[in-house]
Amino acid sequence: LQFLREAKSIISRAAPIVSLRNTSNKATYFYEESALDPLKGKFDERQHRRFGSMDAIKLTDADQKRLMPEDNMTAVLEKKLTVDIYGMERPSIIQPWEVLIEVNNTGICGSDLEYYKHGVIGPFVLKQPMIMGHESGGTVLAVGKGVTNGLKPGDRVALEPGLVCGECSACKAKKYNLCPDVTFFATPPVHGTMRKYMKHHFEYCYKIPDNMTTEEAAWCEPLSVGIHTGGNIACIQPGETVAIFGAGPIGIINCLTSIGYGASKIIITDISDDKLKIVTDYMENNPSITGCKVVTMNTLKDKMTDEFKRDNQMDKVIDCVGHPAILKDALDICKPGGIVTIVGMAADPNVNIDISNVNVQEKTINGVFRYRYTYERAIDMISKGKMGDVTQLITHRANPWDVKEMEPALERLDMETQKKSGRTEMKVMYDMTMKPSL
């Protein structure tokens, strides 16, 4: 508690640096993450026990300037609808389990937008300023003395954003995504990756091959949702058929990963022609994708009739919408003995279903929460082109340190903004290597 009080006191004493709307330096505040993030503090305590008396590396001023020659710019969500850019202290201590990283690319997704617009997602409430971002790829600058996975300076890596305890029943059952003490980037109160330089646990840093870019490495996080859904939960097998409800970013990602798992036919539905066109254009622009027939269907124009569902019984069904009516269609189009996997979060958790449809035909309904053991598979799928060129789905790139680009780029994902502009956005990617423009 005393440490927390001292950290909060530091905030009020911060000296001016740079900001979008005002000038202040919360460098020490954001550097001392454990002070304002109790989960991160617990995680660090466990690592100290694990690595014993192994020494940390203390960087001198000369080391910091050599390894991190640029200002450590940081994008901070102060409160809803308010993002500021700060110059943050460079890391000065590398613990045995840590890797020092220059973050090169960070993608923005729906959860970032929700925290920006509303400051809350379910039980996760923004109560204090938080560094944004959790979809990132970067370059290793230095490694701690306890790093054992072969990482070295110069390696390029994809960053898995969730740190877990490794001790609870979920972790021991190899379902670490269900760990109650998970520390997940940019989920309050945990800070994210939208900073020039940061440290991360080596076991959550995955080296990418030479034919991959750090922009593609940033794609490993959103793709992991589809890889976990299709592989760990739905267990899609080569030659199986898949129905996907919803052609938003997560629906399209599940379409790509279903292709990567060898699906022979995919029906993907939505009520937006623009979203479905993204799917058809992607398939046309990636002729390397073979062996899978992808059918798009606008269910606002062409109702999914009972006859259609009887004639198109699918092995696996993925609901990326979360609407009660969609779940009914999902169960109806699922063949006997098939699996329905719910990815979309329902606005109303109380959903009525025909349970006899499940019982009599032995259908399985599964839920999905984040992902586990997916990054190596994501790197394999991307680097070998099993899903085509995923960077084609980036609809906007921006400089996160340019005041004229940062927030407008984030707002591009908002549905109301898209309606006004008439443009459908799939993925916004920030180039963290760009220079500040203030």
Side-chain angles (χ1 to χ4, degrees), residues 9 29 125 142 155 231 321 391 397 411 422:
S9 176
Y29 165 33
V125 181
D155 286 343
V321 179
T391 63
R397 292 177 172 86
E411 291 168 350

Side-chain angles (χ1 to χ4, degrees), residues 67-370:
L67 293 170
M68 299 167 282
E70 299 182 30
D71 291 335
N72 194 10
M73 305 304 292
T74 306
V76 179
L77 181 62
E78 294 282 352
K79 57 185 178 179
K80 68 178 183 180
L81 300 176
T82 304
V83 179
D84 289 338
I85 297 175
Y86 294 99
M88 173 181 173
E89 285 182 355
R90 298 173 179 87
S92 61
I93 298 175
I94 304 174
Q95 296 292 351
W97 60 87
E98 291 179 330
V99 176
L100 178 64
I101 295 166
E102 178 184 357
V103 183
N104 302 135
N105 298 93
T106 296
I108 291 297
C109 80
S111 65
D112 299 295
L113 178 65
E114 283 299 303
Y115 284 124
Y116 170 74
K117 285 180 61 180
H118 306 295
V120 59
I121 297 178
F124 303 105
V125 181
L126 184 71
K127 297 180 180 179
Q128 60 201 31
M130 176 186 74
I131 300 172
M132 301 180 69
H134 63 276
E135 304 177 0
S136 294
T139 303
V140 175
L141 301 177
V143 299
K145 294 180 179 180
V147 173
T148 58
N149 62 351
L151 286 179
K152 61 185 184 302
D155 286 343
R156 295 164 316 121
V157 292
L159 309 181
E160 183 173 358
L163 303 174
V164 298
C165 75
E167 300 172 353
C168 67
S169 59
C171 287
K172 290 178 179 177
K174 298 189 180 301
K175 296 183 177 181
Y176 67 82
N177 57 312
L178 304 179
C179 174
D181 284 338
V182 64
T183 298
F184 200 91
F185 288 158
T187 300
V190 185
H191 296 308
T193 57
M194 286 197 68
R195 34 186 155 170
K196 183 70 176 177
Y197 307 108
M198 64 173 291
K199 301 179 296 179
H200 197 33
H201 197 293
F202 74 92
E203 291 178 335
Y204 301 85
C205 298
Y206 298 84
K207 183 179 178 179
I208 61 174
D210 292 340
N211 68 332
M212 268 183 74
T213 65
T214 52
E215 187 176 70
E216 290 174 312
W219 268 95
C220 288
E221 200 284 333
L223 284 172
S224 284
V225 177
I227 290 171
H228 178 55
T229 299
N232 297 336
I233 305 299
C235 301
I236 297 171
Q237 300 300 312
E240 288 191 325
T241 57
V242 182
I244 299 172
F245 290 85
I250 295 301
I252 292 178
I253 282 169
N254 274 278
C255 181
L256 298 185
T257 52
S258 296
I259 291 170
Y261 280 122
S264 60
K265 178 181 178 180
I266 297 172
I267 298 175
I268 181 167
T269 76
D270 205 279
I271 59 173
S272 166
D273 284 336
D274 290 340
K275 291 180 180 179
L276 294 172
K277 188 175 185 300
I278 291 175
V279 177
T280 55
D281 287 350
Y282 188 86
M283 296 301 295
E284 290 175 1
N285 294 331
N286 287 275
S288 62
I289 298 176
T290 59
C292 182
K293 180 182 180 181
V294 177
V295 178
T296 62
M297 183 176 184
N298 186 323
T299 52
L300 196 62
K301 297 178 179 178
D302 300 309
K303 299 297 182 182
M304 187 170 281
T305 63
D306 290 340
E307 181 181 6
F308 178 88
K309 287 180 281 191
R310 284 195 304 268
D311 293 342
N312 293 273
Q313 292 283 283
M314 312 298 278
D315 296 297
K316 306 293 167 63
V317 184
I318 301 172
D319 173 9
C320 299
V321 179
H323 190 277
I326 296 296
L327 181 55
K328 180 184 184 304
D329 284 341
L331 284 168
D332 288 345
I333 204 170
C334 181
K335 67 166 43 177
I339 296 175
V340 175
T341 303
I342 302 172
V343 182
M345 299 292 287
D348 182 357
N350 300 305
V351 178
N352 292 320
I353 63 170
D354 178 3
I355 199 66
S356 65
N357 192 349
V358 178
N359 288 344
V360 175
Q361 301 192 45
E362 291 191 355
K363 297 177 182 179
T364 301
I365 301 176
N366 286 322
V368 168
F369 183 68
R370 291 177 180 156

Side-chain angles (χ1 to χ4, degrees), residues 400-414:
W401 319 129
D402 187 333
V403 296
K404 297 178 181 178
E405 293 188 39
M406 199 285 170
E407 283 185 290
L410 179 63
E411 291 168 350
R412 279 174 170 262
L413 293 176
D414 182 59

